[in-house]
Amino acid sequence: MDLTTTAATSAQPTGFTAWVIGVMETLGGPGAGMIIALENLFPPIPSELILPLAGFTASRGDMSLLGAILWTTLGSLVGALALYWLGAKLGRERTRAIAAKLPLVKLSDVDKTEAWFAKHGVKAVFFGRMIPLFRSFISLPAGVEQMRLSTFALFTTLGSLIWNTIFVFAGYLLGQHWYLVEQYAGLLSRAVLITSVLTVVVFVALRIRNNRRDQAIAEAPTVQFARVQADHPTEEIRRIR
């Protein structure tokens, strides 16, 4: 068996991939939108896999390319709105209460995050829709901080439209070789994951070091000075000397 045959065989959809294609073949664009909405709610389901499959399904004539892009973008918006609503229900005070109970997390961290989101919230939502792993999570702080719903919906739609178009169109062009998109996109996902893990490790290490330093300062003995009598301060100072 040559390399071409091996590649073709390995590209045959099985398991979850076959299920996704089956749903899209049966329901067309709405099926693609439904799966993408679920991907937003359950981030372990990778959009980098589903979107090229939508393009691949479109290339076989089971739905149009434009329909695949529009329906997956609508699904992204629906899933994002569900998480936005969850963040809004959770609210600022509950978020602060939860953060206060978390180890190594200070309320000052929450305050800084709130200030950052107030300043960069629109850009965070727009670009966050194009970053693996953060695509879903960015909707939660938007809800917690009560970002205007129309603004959130607009920039979520724009960011999702760009991301979805790239991956759906790539799957459409590659056809049977759609899996190449997922392979290369997987490298990006792993890079983001590794960067996120390293960031968390550095944060924890620095926070533990700072906590130990603060504790050592708090426990250090302080120098006790003699109390000066108010009636004769000059004589008391001389006596101390």
Side-chain angles (χ1 to χ4, degrees), residues 4 7-8 11 52 56 170-171 173-183:
T4 304
F56 166 63
L173 291 179
L174 289 171
Q176 291 287 348
H177 300 288
W178 57 266
Y179 58 92
L180 295 175
V181 183
E182 194 273 335
Q183 287 179 4

Side-chain angles (χ1 to χ4, degrees), residues 68-150:
I69 293 172
L70 293 180
W71 277 105
T72 54
T73 300
L74 178 60
S76 297
L77 177 60
V78 170
L81 287 174
L83 291 175
Y84 175 93
W85 174 83
L86 179 62
K89 286 295 182 181
L90 184 62
R92 181 174 180 270
E93 295 305 320
R94 289 180 183 174
T95 302
R96 293 177 66 84
I98 293 172
K101 297 178 181 179
L102 295 176
L104 304 178
V105 175
K106 299 179 180 179
L107 287 180
S108 60
D109 298 325
V110 180
D111 295 335
K112 291 176 183 177
T113 302
E114 289 178 346
W116 181 89
F117 197 87
K119 185 177 181 180
H120 305 287
V122 170
K123 290 184 287 186
V125 169
F126 176 72
F127 290 107
R129 297 302 307 175
M130 293 178 274
I131 300 177
L133 302 180
F134 293 96
R135 282 169 41 79
S136 298
F137 296 133
I138 195 62
S139 302
L140 289 172
V144 170
E145 296 301 320
Q146 298 290 311
M147 174 182 279
R148 182 179 297 179
L149 183 58
S150 58

